[in-house]
Amino acid sequence: MDTFGSILDQLSLSTLRYHWQTVLTSTVIFAIIYEMSRIFSPVLFPKTFQFFKGYNGPNWHVHVVSTIHCLVVVTGSFFIFADNTLDQDRVNGYVRWAADIYSISCGYFLWDTIIAIYFYKYQGISMVLHGMVSFSVFIFSFRPFINYYGAIFLMYELSTIFLNFHWFMDKLGWTGSKIQLVNGVILLLTFFFARIVFGTFMSYRMWSDIYAVKDDVPWRYWIVYGGGNFITTCLNIWWFSQMITMLRKRFPAKEVAKHK
């Protein structure tokens, strides 16, 4: 274990020695959840699954795992932002329980990358890269690094919950229903405020704090977090515009006004 710890120190992942078990355990748990969905989802939704072909079934199970991950880490992100210890040292601060939350996301994105590779024919290279980049963002937090601001990326998943609900409703035959309309409005609101407003504001604060200690930050962190943050911000704006376009096509303006 001392040798393992020394390797982690050389990789600037010192606190991972306390969390690698959680990372691997989370990966296994998400794999189990996937298998449980394979067993129980067809029983709970037989009318939906009888029409599924090819990747439809696995894609359902992937969305189940994604939703559970989002619920867990979004809840954790609120507590991270409220932690006084991390707030006092927002760049290099470390709290063990908060790092466990990041460990869960590391485990999820490790599983997600494996799944993307396994279903490469359907998910493509973009999802493989998404899983790898997301895993890198959270694994580098074990330096420790931005354990406070890392919750920004967890908070992004708040909108993913409602995006997944939207997807499930399509598969359940609820396309165009009032409940999907309500979910769509909530999706837009959470996406806009969690990712664009809050995410952009907190990203600015994060980089201001990082710049203040720039001499202590390795170049690879500037590349991974800088590149990842910039690309994600641009994608968030693009995705938001696409969601508005999609909802306008699916729900005419008169219907939305009538519902309100």
Side-chain angles (χ1 to χ4, degrees), residues 94-260:
Y94 169 78
V95 174
R96 187 158 184 165
W97 68 263
D100 278 332
I101 301 297
Y102 296 128
S103 300
I104 292 172
S105 275
C106 275
Y108 168 76
F109 285 114
L110 177 58
W111 172 86
D112 186 58
T113 301
I114 295 171
I115 286 293
I117 294 173
Y118 185 79
F119 290 111
Y120 179 84
K121 177 181 177 181
Y122 304 99
Q123 294 197 14
I125 188 63
S126 62
M127 293 307 298
V128 176
L129 293 176
H130 174 268
M132 293 174 64
V133 171
S134 299
F135 177 80
S136 299
V137 166
F138 287 108
I139 202 70
F140 280 174
S141 70
F142 294 106
R143 185 175 190 257
F145 185 68
I146 59 169
N147 278 200
Y148 177 81
Y149 286 117
I152 299 172
F153 303 104
L154 299 182
M155 189 68 73
Y156 282 174
E157 301 301 336
L158 178 62
S159 61
T160 304
I161 296 172
F162 298 99
L163 181 63
N164 286 348
F165 287 167
H166 189 89
W167 186 90
F168 283 128
M169 289 176 191
D170 276 342
K171 301 307 176 185
L172 291 170
W174 298 352
T175 302
S177 63
K178 288 186 177 180
I179 189 173
Q180 191 181 51
L181 173 59
V182 172
N183 182 79
V185 173
I186 297 174
L187 169 59
L188 285 177
L189 291 175
T190 54
F191 195 99
F192 179 72
F193 285 106
R195 290 184 178 240
I196 297 180
V197 177
F198 181 77
T200 302
F201 170 72
M202 292 300 289
S203 294
Y204 172 78
R205 284 189 62 191
M206 178 182 73
W207 287 110
S208 296
D209 286 345
I210 292 175
Y211 187 78
V213 294
K214 61 182 182 298
D215 294 335
D216 298 326
V217 180
W219 63 268
R220 61 182 178 277
Y221 284 77
W222 290 93
I223 294 176
V224 171
Y225 286 93
N229 193 209
F230 175 76
I231 293 173
T232 301
T233 300
C234 293
L235 286 174
N236 284 339
I237 297 173
W238 166 252
W239 287 333
F240 185 69
S241 67
Q242 293 302 299
M243 284 191 291
I244 293 177
T245 301
M246 177 190 68
L247 285 174
R248 281 179 174 175
K249 290 181 179 179
R250 182 164 295 185
F251 301 101
K254 292 182 178 180
E255 182 178 346
V256 175
K258 180 180 178 181
H259 182 77
K260 288 182 179 180

